[in-house]
């Protein structure tokens, strides 16, 4: 607002006036793409003019003033594939049949210029990345028209023969290929499957092939797209075919038997070498190697059969018995000579045909019990028969009494013509006291071919019965004695028991009469120290260590020393000197005491004990130290030679010298 005022008075001279100042815009701001860079996708093979996307730029200048804010779009990069509408900024395809497989991504630069695109205008640019998406515009194609493969004839069904794959440059479902066998002479021998990971067609063996029968097969495989785009259906067909030629390789195969199994028959009791049958195998290889046969012994352990190694003829090695074994199941092995010596086996079942070679016999062997009061004409038993042979059609048993009893007055037989016979009583008045057992031989015939008969004895025992013909007692040992041993056996057992008791009593009596031990040894004896010396003195051959065990007696330690000789008739008490204390035993004193006791024994000869005087060694010039040969009278032995044995035997020389002196002194005293 503006007004005029007096300078002096500062009063308005006129009313206020309003002035509007308008700023005129100039083109000083370039266009800007606020959302760049841009990314767009468009299907490949799209028609020309297909919209890809729209880009928009902004200009800060006044759009109402002249052409400053009027923008015009143009494409700087991306021709001739794409174009842009100048006013709208819509990007469109400009080239037909753009193929993703040839080029997938495009970098497009769009420019926006103000001033209507005239000279002097400002501009701004942005980048647009355009990607072609995949469509199913390519059919599958096999790289080869013919695929050679091979398979060995020893391969088993299910094994892989080979692989193949059709190429399809499309992606995802558009590039998916299905395979199938459509033709060829090997469609029954091979099968096709698809590997889920590699998407390859896998040819596998369906049935075993035979090189000798057919050596090559042909298969035709088709690969096709399961998902077809109708827009490009005219570009088809979306499938392709290839031929597979499979050659069969020869392999060394085992021989093959003509039949899967064999069944033969042979009569029992046939002599050794009887022909049973023949098996036959052949080598199916081109080489046609000869075949050798054998029977594995684990299938014929008892070796009933033999086979000719060259022609497969099976024969018996000994007669067969149907009643023991009516079927023989064996195996025959065929091995080719040459190659890899492969073998194969076949089952052979041999039936042993029956021959009537077993006589009939009673079905049961029980005794017949008959009452004493049985009435004449009564049936006391009905007998039947059995036969180990096969019963042929209408074959039956017939019965008759043996000729030696055909006219007896006690019993008769009637053949019932049904393979049984009845035994009748002819008289009365049977008595156990007169005869308690009757034996009736009966002939049985089986009427076979050839006929077989046997004589079986029927035992009839007479028993006492009550008025109701109930058996009370029979003279049969099992009815008299309880189950157990016979009388003779019981007597023998009792006699053995009595003899054993007598032996025990006699042994106890003898032990009580034995003499008391002469000395008691403790478990720990000082004489055990002698074991540290391994020499008993010069001149003896025995240089082994002295075994104190010969002077120790476990019985003596308990106060009991049995004598090993004859007991003297008179018993005298021991000398008053007695035994030294066990804890103060000295070997020297012990030997002197024992010698004195032996010399003072009034009985002759002086009895000794093996437990006290044991093994003394062999080859000693001094002889035995035992007192068995000593006497109570003056000794005629001269022990002076002991003085020449040296200091080691000084104690022994003094001992016997002292003994002699004491004896002589005693004699002198008596003489005086």
């Amino acid at each position: 607002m503006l007004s005029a005022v007096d300078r002096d008075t500062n009063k308005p001279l006129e009313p206020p006036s309003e002035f509007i100042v308008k700023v005129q815009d100039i083109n000083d701001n370039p266009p800007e793409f606020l959302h760049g860079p841009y990314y767009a996708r468009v299907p490949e093979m799209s028609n020309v003019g297909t919209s890809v996307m729209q880009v928009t730029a902004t200009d800060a200048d006044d759009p109402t003033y002249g052409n400053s804010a009027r923008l015009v779009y143009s494409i700087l990069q991306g021709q001739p594939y794409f174009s842009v509408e100048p006013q709208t900024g819509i990007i469109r395809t400009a080239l037909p049949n753009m193929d993703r497989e040839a080029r997938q991504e495009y970098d497009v630069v769009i420019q926006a210029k103000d001033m209507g695109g005239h000279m002097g205008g400002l501009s701004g640019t942005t980048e647009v990345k355009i990607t072609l998406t995949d469509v199913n515009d390519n059919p599958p194609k096999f790289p080869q028209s013919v695929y050679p493969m091979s398979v060995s004839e020893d391969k088993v069904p299910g094994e892989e023969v080979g692989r193949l794959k059709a190429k399809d440059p499309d992606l995802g479902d558009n590039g998916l290929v299905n395979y199938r066998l459509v033709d060829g002479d090997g469609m029954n021998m091979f099968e096709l499957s698809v590997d889920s990971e590699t998407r390859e067609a896998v040819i596998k063996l369906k049935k075993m092939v035979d090189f000798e029968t057919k050596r090559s097969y042909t298969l035709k495989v088709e690969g096709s797209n399961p998902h077809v785009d109708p827009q490009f259906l005219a570009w088809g067909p979306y499938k392709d075919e290839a031929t597979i030629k499979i050659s069969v390789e020869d392999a060394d195969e085992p021989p093959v038997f003509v039949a899967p199994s064999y069944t033969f028959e042979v009569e029992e009791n046939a002599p050794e070498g009887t022909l049973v049958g023949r098996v036959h195998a052949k080598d199916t290889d081109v080489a046609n190697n000869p075949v050798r046969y054998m029977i594995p012994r684990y299938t014929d352990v008892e070796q009933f059969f033999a086979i000719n190694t060259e022609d497969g003829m099976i024969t018996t090695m000994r007669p067969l018995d149907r009643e023991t074994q009516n079927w023989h199941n064996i195996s025959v092995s065929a091995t080719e000579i040459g190659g890899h010596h492969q073998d194969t086996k076949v089952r052979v079942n041999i039936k042993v045909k029956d021959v009537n070679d077993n006589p009939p016999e009673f079905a049961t062997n029980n005794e017949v019990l008959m009452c004493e009061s049985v009435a004449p004409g009564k049936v006391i038993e009905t007998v039947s028969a059995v036969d180990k042979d096969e019963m042929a059609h209408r074959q039956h048993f017939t019965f008759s009494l043996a000729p030696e009893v055909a006219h007896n007055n006690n019993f008769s037989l009637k053949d019932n013509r049904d393979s049984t016979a009845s035994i009748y009583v002819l008289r009365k008045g049977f008595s156990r006291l007169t005869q308690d057992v009757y034996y009736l031989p009966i002939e049985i015939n089986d009427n076979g071919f050839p006929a077989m008969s046997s004589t079986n004895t029927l035992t009839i025992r007479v028993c006492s019965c009550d008025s109701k013909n109930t058996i009370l007692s029979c003279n049969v040992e099992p009815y008299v004695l309880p189950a157990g041993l016979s009388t003779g056996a019981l007597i023998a057992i009792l006699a053995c028991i009595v003899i054993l008791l007598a032996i025990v009593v006699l042994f106890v009596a003898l032990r009580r009469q034995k003499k008391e031990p002469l000395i008691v040894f403790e478990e720990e004896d000082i004489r055990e120290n002698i074991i540290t010396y391994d020499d008993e003195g010069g001149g003896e051959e025995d240089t082994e260590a002295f075994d104190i065990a010969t002077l120790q007696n476990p019985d003596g330690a308990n106060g009991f020393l049995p004598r090993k000789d004859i007991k003297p008739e008179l018993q005298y008490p021991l000398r008053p000197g007695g035994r030294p204390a066990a804890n103060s035993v000295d070997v020297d004193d012990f030997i002197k005491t024992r010698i004195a006791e032996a010399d003072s024994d009034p009985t002759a000869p002086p009895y000794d004990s093996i437990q006290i005087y044991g093994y003394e060694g062999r080859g000693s010039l001094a002889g035995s130290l035992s007192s068995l040969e000593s006497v109570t009278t003056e000794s005629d032995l001269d022990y002076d030679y002991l003085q020449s044995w040296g200091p080691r035997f000084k104690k022994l020389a003094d001992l016997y010298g002292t003994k002699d002196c004491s004896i002589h002194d005693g004699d002198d005293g008596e003489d005086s």
Side-chain angles (χ1 to χ4, degrees):
M1 297 289 292
L2 295 177
S3 63
V5 296
D6 189 331
R7 179 178 302 179
D8 296 328
T9 62
N10 200 26
K11 291 182 178 180
L13 299 179
E14 60 181 6
S17 299
E18 180 179 359
F19 294 90
I20 298 174
V21 180
K22 185 175 182 180
V23 179
Q24 184 176 355
D25 182 44
I26 64 173
N27 188 17
D28 58 350
N29 291 285
E32 292 183 354
F33 290 92
L34 300 179
H35 303 289
Y38 297 89
Y39 297 91
R41 299 168 64 87
V42 64
E44 64 174 331
M45 299 295 173
S46 297
N47 295 327
V48 175
T50 301
S51 175
V52 178
M53 72 176 303
Q54 183 179 15
V55 295
T56 303
T58 61
D59 195 328
D61 295 325
D62 186 2
T64 63
Y65 181 77
N67 293 326
S68 297
R70 189 165 68 89
L71 303 180
V72 175
Y73 299 94
S74 63
I75 183 168
L76 301 182
Q77 179 181 323
Q79 295 174 333
Y81 306 103
F82 300 95
S83 64
V84 62
E85 293 182 355
Q87 282 72 33
T88 62
I90 297 175
I91 303 173
R92 300 180 182 276
T93 59
L95 191 68
N97 300 329
M98 287 192 295
D99 191 2
R100 182 198 64 83
E101 288 75 30
R103 182 177 178 181
Q104 184 174 0
E105 292 184 351
Y106 296 86
D107 293 327
V108 178
V109 178
I110 302 297
Q111 182 190 63
K113 189 175 181 181
D114 58 10
M115 296 296 292
H118 292 90
M119 185 176 296
L122 301 178
S123 65
T125 62
T126 187
E127 183 178 350
V128 181
K129 290 185 176 293
I130 301 176
T131 302
L132 298 182
T133 58
D134 183 63
V135 296
N136 190 9
D137 59 339
N138 295 282
K141 183 69 176 177
F142 287 103
Q144 301 174 219
S145 59
V146 178
Y147 287 84
M149 298 181 183
S150 63
V151 61
S152 178
E153 64 175 336
D154 60 354
K155 298 296 183 181
V156 297
E159 292 203 30
E160 181 178 322
V161 177
R163 296 183 175 219
L164 70 160
K165 184 178 182 180
K167 292 184 177 181
D168 190 332
D170 295 324
L171 299 177
D173 291 342
N174 295 326
L176 189 64
V177 180
N178 289 344
Y179 302 92
R180 67 188 182 99
L181 297 176
V182 294
D183 196 8
D185 58 0
M187 294 187 64
N188 294 329
M189 306 299 295
F190 301 92
E191 59 186 358
L192 185 147
S193 63
V194 179
D195 191 322
S196 59
E197 294 183 0
T198 63
R199 304 305 303 173
E200 292 177 307
V202 182
I203 307 299
K204 294 183 179 180
L205 189 64
K206 185 177 181 180
K207 296 180 181 179
M208 292 191 68
V209 294
D210 185 14
F211 175 80
E212 289 73 27
T213 303
K214 187 174 178 62
R215 302 188 180 185
S216 64
Y217 293 90
T218 301
L219 293 173
K220 185 171 287 187
V221 180
E222 178 189 85
S224 60
N225 289 141
H227 305 287
V228 179
D229 192 341
Q231 181 180 353
F232 304 102
L233 189 61
W235 294 21
Y238 287 87
K239 60 183 178 180
D240 193 19
E241 292 183 353
T243 301
I244 302 175
K245 292 187 176 181
I246 303 174
S247 60
V248 180
E249 297 178 349
D250 188 23
D252 191 10
E253 299 174 292
V256 177
F257 281 94
V258 175
S261 64
Y262 294 86
T263 301
F264 302 121
E265 292 184 350
V266 62
E267 289 189 352
E268 67 173 327
N269 302 324
E272 177 184 350
T274 300
L275 177 63
V276 177
R278 181 188 179 189
V279 297
H280 180 63
K282 59 182 180 179
D283 184 14
T284 58
D285 296 321
V286 177
N288 194 18
N289 293 319
V291 177
R292 295 294 179 264
Y293 304 91
M294 67 169 291
I295 298 176
R297 281 307 160 200
Y298 66 86
T299 66
D300 184 21
V301 178
E302 299 182 17
Q303 299 186 8
F304 288 107
F305 305 97
I307 188 169
N308 188 299
T309 58
E310 295 183 358
D311 58 15
M313 302 293 289
I314 301 175
T315 56
T316 60
M317 295 186 66
R318 52 194 171 100
L320 306 177
D321 185 11
R322 188 203 67 86
E323 288 69 38
T324 302
Q325 187 174 353
N326 58 348
W327 279 92
H328 294 267
N329 301 314
I330 65 173
S331 295
V332 174
S333 174
T335 306
E336 65 177 59
I337 306 302
H340 293 85
H341 301 281
Q342 297 193 76
D343 68 330
T344 187
K345 295 180 178 61
V346 70
R347 190 75 171 176
V348 179
N349 305 311
I350 302 173
K351 180 182 180 181
V352 182
K353 297 171 62 177
D354 184 50
V355 174
N356 193 27
D357 59 344
N358 290 279
E361 56 187 16
F362 281 144
T364 60
N365 292 322
N366 298 332
E367 292 183 340
V368 178
L369 303 181
M370 181 185 69
C371 294
E372 292 178 314
S373 59
V374 64
K378 181 177 178 57
V379 177
I380 61 173
E381 182 70 5
T382 299
V383 295
S384 59
V386 294
D387 193 336
K388 295 180 180 179
D389 296 317
E390 289 182 350
M391 294 294 292
H393 183 60
R394 295 182 180 179
Q395 182 178 351
H396 64 279
F397 299 108
T398 57
F399 302 84
S400 63
L401 293 177
E404 61 269 20
V405 296
H407 303 289
N408 74 94
N409 298 322
N410 299 318
F411 307 98
S412 66
L413 180 145
K414 178 184 178 182
D415 193 336
N416 298 325
R417 300 185 181 278
D418 60 354
S419 296
T420 64
S422 300
I423 308 299
Y424 292 85
V425 178
L426 295 178
R427 67 177 179 87
K428 64 178 180 178
F430 290 94
S431 174
R432 287 187 301 155
L433 300 177
T434 303
Q435 184 175 352
D436 62 340
V437 178
Y438 292 87
Y439 299 100
L440 188 65
I442 299 175
E443 287 189 357
I444 309 175
N445 193 300
D446 62 5
N447 296 297
F449 183 81
M452 297 290 292
S453 63
S454 65
T455 300
N456 296 259
T457 301
L458 183 67
T459 302
I460 304 173
R461 189 172 296 277
V462 181
C463 304
S464 62
C465 303
D466 58 11
S467 59
K468 297 182 180 180
N469 291 329
T470 302
I471 296 176
L472 300 177
S473 175
C474 299
N475 288 336
V476 184
E477 187 172 85
Y479 290 92
V480 177
L481 293 177
L485 301 173
S486 63
T487 303
L490 291 175
I491 294 174
I493 292 174
L494 291 175
C496 291
I497 294 174
V498 171
I499 293 173
L500 290 174
L501 290 175
I503 292 173
V504 171
V505 172
L506 180 60
F507 179 73
V508 172
L510 289 176
R511 287 180 62 89
R512 289 180 178 177
Q513 294 177 1
K514 291 191 176 181
K515 192 174 181 179
E516 290 294 328
L518 298 179
I519 190 168
V520 177
F521 296 100
E522 293 184 352
E523 290 183 3
E524 295 182 0
D525 197 320
I526 193 171
R527 287 171 295 165
E528 288 183 348
N529 294 333
I530 298 177
I531 197 170
T532 59
Y533 300 95
D534 59 357
D535 198 341
E536 288 196 44
E540 294 194 21
E541 293 180 2
D542 181 22
T543 59
E544 296 179 356
F546 182 78
D547 187 4
I548 194 64
T550 59
L551 295 179
Q552 288 180 326
N553 191 336
D555 293 332
N558 298 326
F560 178 73
L561 275 173
R563 303 283 293 221
K564 299 298 183 180
D565 47 23
I566 301 174
K567 178 183 177 183
E569 296 180 359
L570 299 177
Q571 297 292 334
Y572 292 89
L574 295 175
R575 297 180 63 182
R579 296 187 285 274
N583 294 333
S584 61
V585 172
D586 184 75
V587 175
D588 188 25
D589 295 337
F590 169 75
I591 294 177
K592 289 179 181 180
T593 302
R594 300 301 283 169
I595 292 175
E597 289 177 357
D599 292 339
S600 301
D601 195 344
T603 60
Y607 293 89
D608 209 348
S609 173
I610 289 179
Q611 281 81 357
I612 304 305
Y613 303 98
Y615 179 74
E616 299 267 348
R618 291 176 297 176
S620 174
L621 297 177
S624 175
L625 297 179
S626 174
S627 62
L628 292 175
E629 296 179 0
S630 62
V631 295
T632 56
T633 60
E634 180 179 357
S635 175
D636 58 350
L637 296 177
D638 183 13
Y639 296 102
D640 293 337
Y641 62 89
L642 294 176
Q643 301 293 337
S644 63
W645 283 14
R648 289 190 177 185
F649 292 88
K650 184 177 182 304
K651 285 184 178 283
L652 186 61
D654 294 340
L655 179 64
Y656 275 81
T658 303
K659 174 186 174 184
D660 294 340
C661 294
S662 63
I663 294 175
H664 290 307
D665 293 341
D667 293 341
D668 294 340
E670 290 176 0
D671 292 341
S672 61

